[in-house]
Amino acid sequence: MSGGDTETRDIDRSPVANADVCVVGAGPAGALVADRLAADRDVVVLDAGPRFDPADRLARQERAIRPSYDRPDVWDVGGDRDAHASSGERFYPLNHARVKGVGGSTLHWQGMVMRLHEDDFNSGTARGVGPDWPIDYADLRPYYAEAERELGVAGASDNPYAPPREEPHPMPAFEPSYSDSLFAEACESLGIDMHSVPNARNSEPYDGRSPCVGYGTCQPVCPSGAKYDATVHVDRAESNGATVIDRAPVQRLEHDADRVTAAVYATPDGEEHRQAADAFVVACGGVETPRLLLLSDSEHYPDGLANSSGTVGRFFMDHLFAGVGGVLDEPTRQNHVGFYTSACDQFYDGADEDIAPFKLEFFNYAGPSPVESALSGDDWGDALLDRLREEYGNHVAVGGLVEQRPSADSYVGLDPERTDDHGNPVPDVHWSVDDRALRTIERANGIQRSILEELGAEIEWVTGPDATGPAYHHMGTTRMSDDPDRGVVDAGCLTHDLDNCWIASSSVFPTSGAMNPTLTIAALALRVADHVESRV
Amino acid sequence: MELTRRDAVAALAAVGAAGGVAVGVRHAGGGGQDAAGGEADGDGGRHDDADGGADEETVRSTMVAVAAVVYPDAVSNVEAFVDRFLDGRLDGSAHAAGLREAVADLEAASRSWYDAPVAELSAADREELLRGTGADTAEEDPDGTTAERVRYYVVNDLLLALYASPTGGELVGIENPQGHPGGAESYRRGPK
């Protein structure tokens, strides 16, 4: 694998003179901002990780399949660079939840792209939980449509519970799976509605990229490029004149009282550089964004840059997984593809103070993948084949995501006891989960169980409140608010404290809803680009 | 079920190996990473190269012999399938070097315990040899003990090749197994 090439090659990582905009982070938010601005502005993008060689994707797929590699190994996450702490009541597996490098976490994401619902923007008013966002669905609606075109979304308008949309998705939805047809009968008799689900995955050729060819390893790697990842917009930004510097972790943001003046970044040769610019867009995700602000404390901002409100790092949220799985006495045809094709949003808008919004997902990848199973175990030959045949073929599962309410005791801070490869305190994800979310997981489990029982399945596992884990959606840690005392950024994602520093990230979400966040991240990033363009 | 050229190509696609280049090298008489060449295995001849890895012909004969143990009886044309897979796998990469070293270790054990190369052992002795190294119970590890490396490079390379191929998948009931780009239609089809 040639992943280390960009470290040793003779690459110019010196700062760009007279830059208009410096974007920190080359994930989807940073890539979209850079792409939008590159044609008319001098844009430089700094990313902490490498530029991965696309030719290595099949080798990374092998890592995804083989048992000797853990999930972080697939994209070279780990080591001193990515050291972290987890001091909360629940362990947070941060390095399973991120990729550092050009493309960011879209390199390993599943690629599900729903819009938040209208009530998600008014959670305080509509549900009595958390603050309202300072923007409404209507403010983001045109940006959602644009984001769907940019990412390339395959979807249909058959979901009666989805928020209003003005045009069809850019590509037709993936057709329902065979197992969806089994679920459909059970759901119909229970009065549960199934519908298609939007995928950032090509159902037909789109934007010069391949349609899905069924490698089946979407999460953590798509070798065909059918699944959107942010290298699409990084490449386009570069072709429009942007400069992208990889392996350039930003150490701190230099600033005066009102403005960021430079991003100080390290390079593999051990040097530090200052990238000055007129405007800065921090797009490092829900963990590294608050960490960078906290690392940039100063006389002006003793508690961290842009932290006059004291909310930087606070209100860390993730989506909670709820699921039930089992087996039928007939084939269910799982693990042909690595994404799901049907969902249920029927229960989402019934949320209130006691029950959070949640959605259901009908899996196409329940039970073991035969090739993965074949590589573990003490058997081979006919005995192995017998085992694989016994294990594979009749599993079913219904998953779901649940909203976590924002809470001050769930936060991202700095661990003073441990430093990274540059001597900076590592992020501490202090994660706790509220009772409303746990109640909602039980409620989701009840519905999931009823569906499987209606199907006639023998239930084998339940992921309930005790076993739940995060969906790897980092949100809330530099939240958006009209009130400078209650949030880090305003409705335009400009920091309250600084005149030239925007944040493009799920870290600005005041509440999380229960929809996968990336489409909202993308929509907000496009909106940030418009704001920056009008100001710089 | 017969393993076909298409299966071998699919298996190589699953691991990102490039078959064409290696084929050219081999048919040119060896060289490069496989400098020991194809004529080394004779009476008292070399069976490994200067780096301690097995030569190419030993790798091929050993892998075919091991495949006969770890593959189910239901598949045929195993030798051609394995040979074709190795055309891509022996590509001068770090993985190829690890494979040659693991085969050399297995070969050394075979000569020590049975006074014969793996390829000349009876099926029962080959199985006993593999179990004797601990490769049956070891967890694969490319940097581990002999047992873990034999499991990784020899046993699991062969199993990965088979079960990521369409024919290997069909044996289990999935014609588009993980790792095989078999299209985005099969998930919609019901059972045959």
Side-chain angles (χ1 to χ4, degrees), chain A residues 36 115 121 135-150 164-167 519-520 522-527 530:
Chain A
R36 176 59 60 93
R115 300 181 181 195
F121 294 88
I135 59 175
D136 291 323
Y137 177 76
D139 295 316
L140 217 48
R141 183 170 165 172
Y143 290 101
Y144 270 134
E146 202 169 347
E148 288 166 348
R149 288 192 295 273
E150 290 294 332
R165 53 181 306 116
E166 54 295 305
E167 58 192 75
L519 192 71
T520 304
L524 286 170
L526 293 167
R527 190 163 169 270
D530 280 355

Side-chain angles (χ1 to χ4, degrees), chain A residues 392-517:
Chain A
Y392 172 76
N394 58 351
H395 287 263
V396 286
V398 185
L401 294 185
V402 170
E403 179 189 59
Q404 168 179 12
R405 71 191 302 164
S407 166
D409 64 359
S410 187
Y411 61 84
V412 173
L414 300 178
D415 181 355
E417 304 297 321
R418 188 166 181 194
T419 55
D420 67 8
D421 55 344
H422 290 94
N424 295 312
V426 304
D428 173 19
V429 180
H430 185 101
W431 185 46
S432 59
V433 176
D434 62 283
D435 289 342
R436 174 176 175 257
L438 298 177
R439 273 197 304 277
T440 307
I441 292 169
E442 283 187 19
R443 166 116 169 86
N445 286 160
I447 297 168
Q448 292 163 332
R449 187 185 287 275
S450 71
I451 294 170
L452 262 61
E453 286 173 350
E454 184 66 25
L455 260 179
E458 178 187 338
I459 291 175
E460 290 192 328
W461 58 268
V462 176
T463 300
D466 295 334
T468 187
Y472 306 157
H473 303 152
H474 311 145
M475 299 169 284
T477 49
T478 62
R479 74 180 183 186
M480 184 193 296
S481 174
D482 280 333
D483 184 346
D485 292 330
R486 292 178 178 273
V488 179
V489 299
D490 65 15
C493 296
L494 176 66
T495 53
H496 285 294
D497 287 341
L498 301 152
D499 295 337
N500 70 337
C501 182
W502 284 261
I503 294 176
S505 166
S506 49
S507 64
V508 305
F509 292 11
T511 54
S512 71
M515 293 296 171
N516 306 52

Side-chain angles (χ1 to χ4, degrees), chain A residues 55 58-59 61-62 64-69 174-180 212-217 331 333-337 339 341 364 369-372 374-382 384-385 388-389 392, chain B residues 13-16 69-74 89 95 127 130-131 135-137 140-142 151-153 155-157 159-160 163-164 171-184 186-191:
Chain A
L58 284 167
Q61 176 181 256
E62 184 182 348
I65 293 171
R66 298 195 76 135
S68 63
Y69 298 98
F174 285 91
E175 295 290 327
S177 66
Y178 173 70
S179 55
D180 287 340
C212 174
V213 295
Y215 274 109
T217 56
R333 306 277 293 163
Q334 299 294 284
N335 284 300
H336 289 247
V337 291
F339 57 95
T341 40
N364 293 329
S369 155
V371 63
E372 289 187 27
L375 306 186
S376 302
D378 299 350
D379 44 7
W380 52 45
D382 287 347
L384 171 60
L385 178 57
L388 297 178
R389 284 173 167 166
Y392 172 76
Chain B
V15 299
V69 174
V70 301
Y71 282 5
D73 291 339
R89 216 34 159 162
H95 186 97
E127 173 133 20
L130 285 169
R131 295 193 186 279
D136 55 340
T137 55
E140 65 161 31
D141 183 349
R151 177 73 190 220
Y152 183 89
Y153 287 108
V155 174
N156 276 3
D157 245 28
L159 294 177
L160 176 60
Y163 288 109
L171 281 173
V172 186
I174 177 170
E175 64 272 32
N176 184 25
Q178 258 192 337
H180 173 54
S186 67
Y187 78 95
R188 291 155 47 190
R189 290 197 290 266

Side-chain angles (χ1 to χ4, degrees), chain A residues 210-262:
Chain A
S210 160
C212 174
V213 295
Y215 274 109
T217 56
C218 312
Q219 190 184 165
V221 57
C222 172
S224 73
K227 181 187 76 173
Y228 170 81
D229 66 64
T231 62
V232 168
H233 286 98
V234 171
D235 290 348
R236 194 192 299 168
E238 287 186 289
S239 68
N240 285 331
T243 300
V244 178
I245 304 176
D246 74 336
R247 297 180 191 270
V250 174
Q251 307 295 292
R252 60 192 177 278
L253 296 173
E254 289 187 349
H255 57 274
D256 54 30
D258 303 320
R259 298 177 68 81
V260 174
T261 52

